[in-house]
């Protein structure tokens, strides 16, 4: 099982993060989700892939409490309104372009 880094003492006002170097993305994402859902007050998990300072790709997941989930939903709703229609998404990868300003 890959080593998942989680802060020992998490400030309840901050988002708990789960970070591992990518070796088996499907397994790691699953482990992050399970770990995050066991974190206190977590109702959802958001996961992405990012480049680490050492050049390695990392799976990063954040445990969302009800307030943070509401904020994410508001951002997604605003993005849907501002979204310019494009080619369909490929898997879970979607490019969201802003609409040009209307006069």
């Amino acid at each position: 099982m890959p080593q998942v880094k989680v802060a020992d003492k998490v400030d309840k006002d901050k988002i708990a993060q789960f970070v591992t170097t990518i070796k088996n993305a499907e397994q790691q994402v699953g482990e992050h989700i399970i770990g995050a859902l066991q974190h206190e007050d977590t109702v959802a998990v958001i996961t992405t892939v990012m480049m680490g300072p050492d050049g390695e790709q990392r799976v990063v997941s954040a445990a969302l409490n009800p307030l943070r989930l509401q904020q994410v939903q508001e951002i997604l709703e605003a993005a849907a309104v501002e979204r310019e229609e494009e080619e369909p998404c490929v898997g879970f990868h979607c490019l969201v372009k802003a609409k040009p300003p209307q006069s």
Side-chain angles (χ1 to χ4, degrees):
M1 179 186 294
Q3 183 68 26
V4 177
K5 296 179 187 175
V6 183
D8 292 332
K9 294 182 181 179
V10 178
D11 183 339
K12 291 187 185 217
D13 294 332
K14 295 185 180 179
I15 298 174
Q17 295 184 357
F18 302 79
V19 181
T20 52
T21 301
I22 294 179
K23 293 184 182 103
N24 177 332
E26 296 83 6
Q27 180 179 350
Q28 286 174 273
V29 169
E31 289 172 356
H32 281 209
I33 291 170
I34 291 168
L37 288 173
Q38 293 173 355
H39 192 277
E40 184 180 347
D41 203 28
T42 299
V43 296
V45 181
I46 190 167
T47 301
T48 191
V49 176
M50 63 174 274
M51 191 68 66
D54 58 0
E56 294 288 328
Q57 292 183 339
R58 303 257 194 304
V59 174
V60 180
S61 298
L64 303 179
N65 63 23
L67 177 60
R68 295 285 189 194
L69 177 58
Q70 179 183 358
Q71 292 169 337
V72 169
Q73 288 173 324
E74 289 169 1
I75 291 168
L76 292 174
E77 288 171 13
V81 170
E82 297 172 9
R83 185 171 188 263
E84 184 177 298
E85 290 301 319
E86 301 178 20
E87 296 295 317
C89 298
V90 177
F92 56 83
H93 176 78
C94 299
L95 174 64
V96 179
K97 283 182 13 185
K99 288 183 180 177
Q102 296 180 9
S103 304

XYZ file of all heavy atoms in Angstrom:
787
model
N 0.857 -1.173 0.000
C 0.000 0.000 0.000
C 0.904 1.237 0.000
O 1.818 1.335 0.802
C -0.903 -0.005 1.245
C -1.800 1.226 1.311
S -2.780 1.376 2.828
C -3.873 -0.008 2.684
N 0.638 2.235 -0.905
C 1.475 3.432 -0.938
C 1.317 4.246 0.341
O 0.280 4.213 0.995
C 0.961 4.220 -2.140
C -0.226 3.507 -2.664
C -0.394 2.234 -1.922
N 2.383 4.946 0.686
C 2.368 5.797 1.865
C 1.560 7.053 1.556
O 1.891 7.800 0.661
C 3.802 6.169 2.248
C 3.918 6.995 3.491
C 3.532 6.225 4.751
O 3.635 5.014 4.789
N 3.090 6.921 5.764
N 0.470 7.286 2.281
C -0.351 8.475 2.110
C 0.025 9.457 3.197
O 0.005 9.127 4.378
C -1.867 8.139 2.199
C -2.691 9.392 2.087
C -2.256 7.142 1.125
N 0.379 10.688 2.774
C 0.756 11.710 3.742
C -0.493 12.478 4.156
O -1.199 13.011 3.329
C 1.750 12.688 3.128
C 3.063 12.072 2.755
C 3.976 13.112 2.139
C 5.226 12.465 1.603
N 6.068 13.423 0.902
N -0.755 12.509 5.441
C -1.873 13.264 5.990
C -1.346 14.013 7.204
O -0.595 13.462 7.998
C -3.034 12.341 6.433
C -4.209 13.157 6.926
C -3.470 11.424 5.311
N -1.724 15.268 7.326
C -1.280 16.048 8.478
C -1.760 15.379 9.762
O -2.894 14.918 9.843
C -1.820 17.467 8.393
N -0.860 15.296 10.778
C -1.235 14.679 12.059
C -2.333 15.463 12.756
O -3.307 14.908 13.234
C -0.021 14.566 12.978
C 0.996 13.572 12.470
O 0.588 12.616 11.774
O 2.177 13.749 12.775
N -2.146 16.768 12.826
C -3.140 17.627 13.469
C -3.686 18.566 12.412
O -2.971 19.424 11.907
C -2.510 18.427 14.606
C -2.041 17.566 15.751
C -1.474 18.400 16.873
C -0.995 17.492 18.001
N -0.421 18.245 19.099
N -4.942 18.367 12.042
C -5.554 19.169 10.991
C -6.412 20.251 11.625
O -7.283 19.969 12.442
C -6.425 18.285 10.062
C -7.099 19.123 9.005
C -5.574 17.196 9.431
N -6.150 21.483 11.254
C -6.964 22.615 11.691
C -8.339 22.451 11.057
O -8.458 22.293 9.844
C -6.297 23.921 11.227
C -7.024 25.164 11.701
O -8.223 25.076 12.037
O -6.386 26.226 11.716
N -9.389 22.462 11.852
C -10.739 22.237 11.337
C -11.175 23.289 10.338
O -12.104 23.077 9.580
C -11.743 22.154 12.488
C -11.556 20.911 13.310
C -12.648 20.745 14.325
C -12.319 19.545 15.182
N -13.428 18.766 15.560
N -10.486 24.458 10.293
C -10.811 25.502 9.333
C -10.082 25.308 8.007
O -10.319 26.045 7.058
C -10.467 26.887 9.903
C -11.346 27.235 11.093
O -12.492 26.735 11.156
O -10.882 28.001 11.959
N -9.191 24.329 7.936
C -8.439 24.052 6.712
C -8.915 22.740 6.098
O -9.536 21.920 6.764
C -6.946 23.991 7.013
C -6.396 25.328 7.466
C -4.908 25.275 7.626
C -4.393 26.644 8.075
N -2.960 26.644 8.272
N -8.598 22.540 4.844
C -8.988 21.327 4.141
C -7.942 20.244 4.381
O -6.751 20.470 4.187
C -9.112 21.603 2.627
C -10.205 22.645 2.365
C -9.403 20.325 1.859
C -10.292 23.086 0.918
N -8.393 19.060 4.797
C -7.486 17.928 4.961
C -7.072 17.442 3.580
O -7.919 17.232 2.722
C -8.178 16.807 5.728
N -5.771 17.281 3.356
C -5.265 16.846 2.066
C -4.583 15.493 2.191
O -3.941 15.203 3.188
C -4.278 17.865 1.506
C -4.920 19.195 1.189
C -3.926 20.154 0.555
O -2.751 19.851 0.400
N -4.411 21.310 0.185
N -4.703 14.697 1.149
C -4.107 13.375 1.070
C -3.260 13.376 -0.198
O -3.785 13.576 -1.279
C -5.201 12.304 0.997
C -6.130 12.363 2.187
C -7.141 13.314 2.259
C -5.975 11.493 3.245
C -7.978 13.395 3.355
C -6.813 11.563 4.346
C -7.812 12.508 4.399
N -1.929 13.166 -0.077
C -1.015 13.314 -1.211
C -0.117 12.087 -1.324
O 0.496 11.668 -0.341
C -0.123 14.572 -1.035
C 0.802 14.746 -2.221
C -0.964 15.819 -0.804
N -0.025 11.509 -2.538
C 0.902 10.420 -2.807
C 1.463 10.581 -4.212
O 0.806 11.121 -5.090
C 0.222 9.031 -2.723
O -0.951 9.032 -3.539
C -0.167 8.667 -1.311
N 2.702 10.104 -4.431
C 3.291 10.075 -5.764
C 2.575 9.003 -6.568
O 2.302 7.919 -6.054
C 4.799 9.751 -5.683
O 5.420 10.751 -4.879
C 5.440 9.724 -7.056
N 2.261 9.294 -7.834
C 1.493 8.352 -8.652
C 2.314 7.113 -8.960
O 3.413 7.193 -9.481
C 1.032 9.002 -9.972
C 0.042 10.121 -9.697
C 0.408 7.954 -10.892
C -0.444 10.831 -10.935
N 1.744 5.961 -8.611
C 2.295 4.668 -8.992
C 1.183 3.855 -9.643
O 1.362 3.264 -10.680
C 2.864 3.948 -7.772
C 4.093 4.649 -7.203
C 4.711 3.882 -6.059
C 5.885 4.650 -5.505
N 5.638 5.331 -4.285
N 0.029 3.836 -9.028
C -1.152 3.154 -9.540
C -2.318 4.084 -9.239
O -2.909 4.030 -8.160
C -1.319 1.800 -8.836
C -2.565 1.074 -9.270
O -3.560 1.683 -9.672
N -2.535 -0.241 -9.187
N -2.640 4.970 -10.187
C -3.607 6.043 -9.946
C -4.955 5.528 -9.468
O -5.531 6.076 -8.522
C -3.774 6.894 -11.200
N -5.479 4.486 -10.090
C -6.813 3.999 -9.713
C -6.845 3.556 -8.253
O -7.750 3.916 -7.511
C -7.240 2.824 -10.619
C -7.396 3.177 -12.063
C -6.083 3.170 -12.850
O -5.030 2.778 -12.296
O -6.115 3.578 -14.017
N -5.836 2.805 -7.844
C -5.784 2.326 -6.461
C -5.571 3.497 -5.509
O -6.213 3.585 -4.469
C -4.665 1.305 -6.297
C -4.553 0.770 -4.874
C -3.439 -0.256 -4.736
O -2.867 -0.701 -5.722
N -3.150 -0.627 -3.508
N -4.663 4.414 -5.873
C -4.365 5.538 -4.991
C -5.569 6.453 -4.813
O -5.836 6.911 -3.706
C -3.175 6.321 -5.528
C -1.868 5.574 -5.317
C -0.718 6.276 -5.972
O -0.454 6.047 -7.132
N -0.058 7.136 -5.238
N -6.292 6.738 -5.901
C -7.484 7.583 -5.794
C -8.490 6.904 -4.863
O -9.068 7.544 -3.980
C -8.097 7.874 -7.176
C -9.474 8.518 -7.040
C -7.170 8.771 -7.991
N -8.678 5.599 -5.033
C -9.595 4.869 -4.162
C -9.180 4.939 -2.704
O -10.008 5.169 -1.816
N -7.872 4.768 -2.452
C -7.382 4.842 -1.072
C -7.570 6.246 -0.502
O -7.925 6.405 0.670
C -5.916 4.431 -1.013
C -5.705 2.953 -1.247
C -4.246 2.560 -1.376
O -3.370 3.452 -1.360
O -3.985 1.350 -1.482
N -7.313 7.263 -1.316
C -7.512 8.643 -0.858
C -8.975 8.876 -0.498
O -9.279 9.476 0.536
C -7.107 9.632 -1.952
C -5.641 9.858 -2.062
N -5.128 11.046 -2.500
C -4.580 9.063 -1.791
C -3.810 10.968 -2.509
N -3.454 9.771 -2.086
N -9.871 8.432 -1.364
C -11.305 8.646 -1.119
C -11.732 7.957 0.169
O -12.398 8.560 1.014
C -12.143 8.167 -2.320
C -11.896 9.094 -3.517
C -13.627 8.104 -1.967
C -12.473 8.602 -4.823
N -11.336 6.714 0.329
C -11.694 5.980 1.553
C -11.115 6.676 2.776
O -11.807 6.884 3.775
C -11.235 4.512 1.468
C -12.071 3.773 0.425
C -11.329 3.824 2.831
C -11.542 2.414 0.032
N -9.837 7.080 2.707
C -9.218 7.774 3.834
C -9.887 9.102 4.140
O -10.143 9.432 5.296
N -10.187 9.860 3.086
C -10.803 11.173 3.286
C -12.210 11.042 3.853
O -12.616 11.828 4.713
C -10.828 11.951 1.971
N -12.969 10.068 3.380
C -14.335 9.903 3.885
C -14.362 9.483 5.353
O -15.352 9.689 6.044
C -15.115 8.904 3.032
C -15.507 9.419 1.645
C -16.127 8.293 0.820
C -16.464 10.609 1.742
N -13.266 8.925 5.844
C -13.178 8.564 7.263
C -12.730 9.744 8.113
O -12.789 9.686 9.336
C -12.221 7.386 7.443
C -12.763 6.120 6.817
C -11.775 4.978 6.824
O -10.627 5.124 7.214
N -12.224 3.812 6.381
N -12.300 10.828 7.458
C -11.865 12.031 8.165
C -13.102 12.735 8.729
O -14.153 12.795 8.083
C -11.110 12.949 7.193
C -10.387 14.055 7.856
N -11.000 15.219 8.218
C -9.094 14.158 8.231
C -10.116 16.002 8.784
N -8.948 15.388 8.800
N -12.983 13.274 9.923
C -14.092 13.929 10.613
C -14.780 14.987 9.755
O -14.109 15.804 9.119
C -13.567 14.579 11.900
C -14.642 15.212 12.743
C -14.066 15.845 14.003
O -12.903 15.583 14.343
O -14.806 16.606 14.643
N -16.101 14.963 9.696
C -16.952 15.967 9.049
C -16.821 15.993 7.521
O -17.177 16.964 6.875
C -16.667 17.364 9.628
C -17.838 18.322 9.444
O -18.995 17.853 9.380
O -17.598 19.537 9.359
N -16.299 14.913 6.914
C -16.160 14.865 5.462
C -17.436 14.338 4.828
O -17.940 13.294 5.225
C -14.973 13.957 5.062
O -13.791 14.508 5.614
C -14.835 13.846 3.564
N -17.938 15.084 3.832
C -19.133 14.653 3.108
C -18.837 14.404 1.633
O -19.662 13.838 0.920
C -20.275 15.685 3.242
C -20.733 15.798 4.688
C -19.881 17.044 2.689
N -17.661 14.834 1.154
C -17.266 14.621 -0.235
C -15.753 14.713 -0.344
O -15.085 15.220 0.560
C -17.917 15.665 -1.135
N -15.229 14.220 -1.459
C -13.786 14.243 -1.699
C -13.562 14.754 -3.114
O -14.251 14.343 -4.045
C -13.170 12.830 -1.563
C -11.673 12.866 -1.785
C -13.511 12.229 -0.210
N -12.603 15.660 -3.267
C -12.229 16.147 -4.590
C -10.782 15.720 -4.820
O -9.952 15.808 -3.923
C -12.422 17.673 -4.702
C -12.259 18.124 -6.135
C -11.533 18.426 -3.767
C -12.751 19.549 -6.380
N -10.501 15.196 -6.016
C -9.178 14.647 -6.322
C -8.663 15.227 -7.629
O -9.421 15.422 -8.568
C -9.256 13.109 -6.429
O -9.723 12.582 -5.194
C -7.905 12.499 -6.745
N -7.358 15.481 -7.680
C -6.710 15.965 -8.901
C -5.305 15.380 -8.972
O -4.849 14.717 -8.050
C -6.669 17.514 -8.938
O -6.272 17.941 -10.240
C -5.725 18.077 -7.892
N -4.637 15.630 -10.081
C -3.245 15.231 -10.257
C -2.441 16.503 -10.448
O -2.864 17.407 -11.170
C -3.079 14.314 -11.485
C -1.618 13.982 -11.729
C -3.907 13.051 -11.316
N -1.283 16.600 -9.771
C -0.436 17.785 -9.892
C 1.028 17.376 -9.966
O 1.385 16.263 -9.584
C -0.662 18.737 -8.727
C -0.295 18.160 -7.369
S -0.387 19.328 -6.024
C 1.222 20.066 -6.129
N 1.844 18.286 -10.460
C 3.281 18.052 -10.522
C 3.894 18.507 -9.201
O 3.652 19.621 -8.744
C 3.879 18.855 -11.675
C 5.303 18.487 -11.993
S 5.499 16.824 -12.676
C 4.663 16.995 -14.239
N 4.689 17.649 -8.582
C 5.367 17.989 -7.339
C 6.642 18.761 -7.605
O 7.112 18.831 -8.743
N 7.234 19.342 -6.569
C 8.467 20.112 -6.728
C 9.635 19.277 -7.257
O 10.570 19.805 -7.839
C 8.761 20.650 -5.326
C 7.935 19.840 -4.401
C 6.794 19.279 -5.181
N 9.541 17.953 -7.101
C 10.595 17.060 -7.587
C 10.346 16.575 -9.012
O 11.072 15.751 -9.536
C 10.732 15.862 -6.652
C 9.432 15.071 -6.513
O 8.413 15.451 -7.135
O 9.430 14.070 -5.779
N 9.277 17.089 -9.649
C 8.957 16.701 -11.017
C 8.081 15.461 -11.120
O 7.673 15.087 -12.211
N 7.783 14.823 -10.005
C 6.920 13.639 -9.991
C 5.452 14.072 -9.953
O 5.106 15.059 -9.304
C 7.209 12.771 -8.764
C 8.587 12.151 -8.751
C 8.736 11.035 -9.766
O 7.749 10.330 -10.052
O 9.854 10.870 -10.282
N 4.605 13.311 -10.649
C 3.171 13.588 -10.592
C 2.614 13.046 -9.290
O 3.015 11.987 -8.827
C 2.444 12.953 -11.771
C 2.780 13.592 -13.090
C 1.984 12.989 -14.235
O 1.484 11.880 -14.134
N 1.873 13.731 -15.310
N 1.691 13.784 -8.704
C 1.084 13.400 -7.431
C -0.442 13.348 -7.564
O -1.027 14.163 -8.253
C 1.404 14.429 -6.339
C 2.879 14.671 -6.101
C 3.322 13.954 -4.860
N 4.593 14.293 -4.291
C 5.779 14.266 -4.876
N 5.870 14.022 -6.149
N 6.879 14.507 -4.206
N -1.040 12.396 -6.862
C -2.489 12.363 -6.691
C -2.762 13.158 -5.428
O -2.190 12.876 -4.378
C -3.012 10.917 -6.517
C -4.505 10.922 -6.202
C -2.736 10.086 -7.753
N -3.610 14.181 -5.524
C -3.941 15.020 -4.378
C -5.455 14.996 -4.195
O -6.206 15.280 -5.121
C -3.475 16.484 -4.592
C -3.834 17.340 -3.386
C -1.982 16.534 -4.869
N -5.888 14.633 -3.008
C -7.309 14.612 -2.679
C -7.553 15.519 -1.491
O -6.697 15.649 -0.618
C -7.767 13.194 -2.326
O -7.594 12.333 -3.424
N -8.715 16.149 -1.475
C -9.078 17.025 -0.362
C -10.413 16.562 0.209
O -11.363 16.300 -0.538
C -9.181 18.473 -0.832
N -10.449 16.453 1.534
C -11.683 16.112 2.238
C -12.524 17.378 2.360
O -12.042 18.396 2.838
C -11.344 15.554 3.619
N -13.766 17.323 1.905
C -14.637 18.495 1.943
C -15.701 18.345 3.010
O -16.425 17.350 3.043
C -15.313 18.702 0.586
C -14.387 18.863 -0.623
C -15.206 19.027 -1.893
C -13.426 20.013 -0.435
N -15.795 19.352 3.872
C -16.889 19.386 4.849
C -18.102 20.009 4.147
O -18.003 20.437 2.993
C -16.469 20.138 6.113
C -16.153 21.600 5.856
O -16.609 22.213 4.893
N -15.350 22.190 6.729
N -19.262 20.064 4.782
C -20.451 20.596 4.105
C -20.267 22.010 3.538
O -20.721 22.292 2.422
C -21.532 20.564 5.200
C -21.108 19.443 6.100
C -19.600 19.520 6.116
N -19.587 22.891 4.267
C -19.371 24.259 3.783
C -18.493 24.269 2.535
O -18.798 24.939 1.555
C -18.754 25.131 4.878
C -18.409 26.563 4.471
C -19.653 27.322 4.018
C -17.731 27.294 5.617
N -17.389 23.528 2.558
C -16.491 23.473 1.399
C -17.195 22.841 0.195
O -17.011 23.272 -0.935
C -15.225 22.675 1.721
C -14.368 23.291 2.761
C -13.616 24.476 2.249
N -12.645 24.891 3.260
C -12.028 26.032 3.248
N -12.251 26.883 2.286
N -11.191 26.339 4.196
N -18.006 21.818 0.424
C -18.748 21.198 -0.674
C -19.703 22.209 -1.299
O -19.815 22.291 -2.525
C -19.516 19.966 -0.199
C -20.381 19.291 -1.265
C -19.549 18.862 -2.469
C -21.143 18.124 -0.664
N -20.369 22.998 -0.474
C -21.269 24.031 -0.982
C -20.491 25.034 -1.845
O -20.945 25.435 -2.907
C -21.958 24.756 0.173
C -22.894 25.859 -0.289
C -23.516 26.601 0.889
O -23.292 26.281 2.047
N -24.310 27.611 0.580
N -19.285 25.414 -1.405
C -18.456 26.345 -2.177
C -18.068 25.741 -3.530
O -18.113 26.410 -4.557
C -17.211 26.739 -1.381
C -17.515 27.585 -0.170
C -16.314 27.756 0.755
O -15.392 26.946 0.759
N -16.343 28.825 1.542
N -17.700 24.463 -3.535
C -17.350 23.792 -4.787
C -18.568 23.749 -5.710
O -18.458 24.018 -6.913
C -16.806 22.370 -4.517
C -16.700 21.566 -5.808
C -15.454 22.444 -3.820
N -19.738 23.442 -5.172
C -20.948 23.391 -5.985
C -21.260 24.761 -6.585
O -21.656 24.858 -7.748
C -22.131 22.881 -5.151
C -22.010 21.399 -4.854
C -23.079 20.899 -3.900
O -23.492 21.600 -2.983
N -23.508 19.665 -4.109
N -21.061 25.828 -5.813
C -21.302 27.176 -6.326
C -20.336 27.504 -7.466
O -20.730 28.099 -8.475
C -21.178 28.202 -5.200
C -22.314 28.134 -4.204
C -22.086 28.956 -2.937
O -21.027 29.614 -2.815
O -22.966 28.924 -2.055
N -19.074 27.105 -7.325
C -18.092 27.335 -8.388
C -18.486 26.565 -9.647
O -18.438 27.105 -10.762
C -16.678 26.924 -7.917
C -16.191 27.904 -6.846
C -15.704 26.854 -9.089
C -14.947 27.450 -6.107
N -18.904 25.309 -9.490
C -19.300 24.508 -10.647
C -20.543 25.075 -11.326
O -20.644 25.091 -12.555
C -19.527 23.056 -10.239
C -18.276 22.289 -9.807
C -18.645 20.911 -9.280
C -17.287 22.186 -10.959
N -21.505 25.555 -10.542
C -22.707 26.164 -11.114
C -22.354 27.433 -11.886
O -22.856 27.659 -12.986
C -23.728 26.470 -10.018
C -24.395 25.230 -9.459
C -25.248 25.503 -8.232
O -25.537 26.679 -7.921
O -25.638 24.524 -7.573
N -21.475 28.260 -11.319
C -21.045 29.485 -12.011
C -20.296 29.135 -13.296
O -20.486 29.778 -14.335
C -20.160 30.333 -11.093
N -19.460 28.103 -13.252
C -18.721 27.687 -14.442
C -19.664 27.187 -15.527
O -19.454 27.460 -16.716
C -17.710 26.604 -14.077
N -20.727 26.483 -15.131
C -21.690 25.985 -16.119
C -22.388 27.141 -16.821
O -22.613 27.096 -18.034
C -22.711 25.068 -15.439
N -22.707 28.189 -16.102
C -23.373 29.356 -16.687
C -22.417 30.086 -17.624
O -22.808 30.554 -18.694
C -23.871 30.309 -15.570
C -24.339 31.628 -16.147
C -24.970 29.639 -14.761
N -21.145 30.173 -17.238
C -20.143 30.904 -18.012
C -19.524 30.074 -19.127
O -18.811 30.604 -19.972
C -19.021 31.386 -17.080
C -19.498 32.361 -16.039
C -18.431 32.672 -15.001
O -17.262 32.268 -15.193
O -18.775 33.297 -13.991
N -19.811 28.806 -19.153
C -19.154 27.887 -20.088
C -19.586 28.135 -21.523
O -20.754 28.288 -21.816
C -19.481 26.453 -19.695
C -18.759 25.426 -20.502
C -18.986 24.037 -19.891
N -18.150 23.075 -20.531
C -18.561 22.298 -21.521
N -19.807 22.365 -21.940
N -17.738 21.440 -22.078
N -18.592 28.128 -22.397
C -18.837 28.210 -23.831
C -18.926 26.775 -24.345
O -18.079 25.943 -24.027
C -17.668 28.949 -24.483
C -17.835 29.183 -25.952
C -16.670 29.986 -26.494
O -16.487 31.131 -26.048
O -15.942 29.446 -27.346
N -19.960 26.469 -25.134
C -20.122 25.104 -25.632
C -18.929 24.708 -26.488
O -18.459 25.473 -27.312
C -21.419 24.976 -26.442
C -22.669 25.068 -25.586
C -22.744 24.007 -24.501
O -22.388 22.835 -24.764
O -23.144 24.350 -23.382
N -18.432 23.498 -26.262
C -17.266 22.993 -26.976
C -17.466 21.523 -27.289
O -18.540 20.978 -27.098
C -16.015 23.135 -26.101
C -15.708 24.532 -25.693
C -14.473 24.580 -24.787
O -13.691 23.620 -24.803
O -14.329 25.580 -24.096
N -16.379 20.909 -27.691
C -16.386 19.464 -27.903
C -16.683 18.786 -26.567
O -16.341 19.315 -25.514
C -15.026 18.998 -28.427
C -14.680 19.553 -29.789
C -15.623 19.063 -30.864
O -15.953 17.858 -30.872
O -16.051 19.893 -31.679
N -17.286 17.607 -26.602
C -17.562 16.903 -25.342
C -16.279 16.607 -24.569
O -15.196 16.549 -25.140
C -18.225 15.593 -25.795
C -18.514 15.740 -27.241
C -17.707 16.876 -27.777
N -16.437 16.389 -23.293
C -15.313 16.061 -22.429
C -14.763 14.682 -22.788
O -15.477 13.834 -23.304
C -15.759 16.033 -20.969
S -16.371 17.621 -20.401
N -13.487 14.472 -22.495
C -12.856 13.173 -22.683
C -12.634 12.602 -21.286
O -11.835 13.129 -20.520
C -11.511 13.317 -23.427
C -10.827 11.970 -23.543
C -11.718 13.954 -24.789
N -13.354 11.550 -20.953
C -13.252 10.992 -19.604
C -13.682 12.027 -18.593
O -14.767 12.577 -18.681
N -12.816 12.324 -17.637
C -13.144 13.334 -16.638
C -12.407 14.634 -16.908
O -12.392 15.536 -16.089
C -12.842 12.831 -15.218
C -11.422 12.381 -15.023
C -10.427 13.295 -14.748
C -11.090 11.051 -15.117
C -9.121 12.886 -14.573
C -9.781 10.633 -14.942
C -8.795 11.557 -14.673
N -11.773 14.762 -18.095
C -11.028 15.976 -18.435
C -11.911 16.893 -19.258
O -12.348 16.532 -20.343
C -9.770 15.616 -19.224
C -9.023 16.827 -19.691
N -8.230 17.557 -18.848
C -8.991 17.445 -20.887
C -7.712 18.572 -19.526
N -8.163 18.523 -20.761
N -12.206 18.073 -18.741
C -13.021 19.056 -19.438
C -12.330 20.411 -19.386
O -11.842 20.820 -18.340
C -14.390 19.215 -18.787
S -15.360 17.699 -18.798
N -12.294 21.094 -20.511
C -11.766 22.446 -20.553
C -12.951 23.396 -20.440
O -13.896 23.311 -21.224
C -11.022 22.698 -21.866
C -10.540 24.125 -22.089
C -9.494 24.506 -21.038
C -9.957 24.278 -23.477
N -12.924 24.288 -19.480
C -14.000 25.253 -19.294
C -13.472 26.618 -19.709
O -12.618 27.193 -19.049
C -14.485 25.288 -17.824
C -15.587 26.312 -17.647
C -14.956 23.909 -17.397
N -13.946 27.101 -20.869
C -13.559 28.426 -21.348
C -14.638 29.419 -20.950
O -15.825 29.121 -21.038
C -13.428 28.433 -22.877
C -12.153 27.799 -23.365
C -11.928 27.812 -24.864
C -12.776 28.668 -25.712
N -12.544 28.513 -27.150
N -14.229 30.603 -20.548
C -15.189 31.647 -20.197
C -15.858 32.186 -21.459
O -15.225 32.262 -22.513
C -14.489 32.776 -19.447
N -17.130 32.551 -21.355
C -17.814 33.187 -22.478
C -17.270 34.596 -22.645
O -16.882 35.235 -21.672
C -19.325 33.271 -22.199
C -20.030 31.949 -22.277
C -21.521 32.143 -22.074
C -22.257 30.835 -22.141
N -23.683 30.983 -21.874
N -17.270 35.095 -23.889
C -16.838 36.477 -24.072
C -17.820 37.431 -23.379
O -19.021 37.126 -23.295
C -16.831 36.665 -25.576
C -17.542 35.500 -26.159
C -17.621 34.439 -25.120
N -17.349 38.578 -22.871
C -18.244 39.522 -22.207
C -19.342 39.997 -23.160
O -19.076 40.228 -24.337
C -17.337 40.685 -21.811
C -15.933 40.192 -21.992
C -15.973 39.032 -22.906
N -20.563 40.077 -22.644
C -21.681 40.542 -23.461
C -21.893 42.031 -23.254
O -21.784 42.530 -22.154
C -22.944 39.767 -23.100
C -22.830 38.301 -23.411
C -24.085 37.550 -23.059
O -25.099 38.147 -22.731
N -24.027 36.231 -23.123
N -22.192 42.722 -24.338
C -22.404 44.170 -24.257
C -23.831 44.507 -23.930
O -24.737 43.851 -24.202
C -22.047 44.833 -25.566
O -20.719 44.510 -25.910
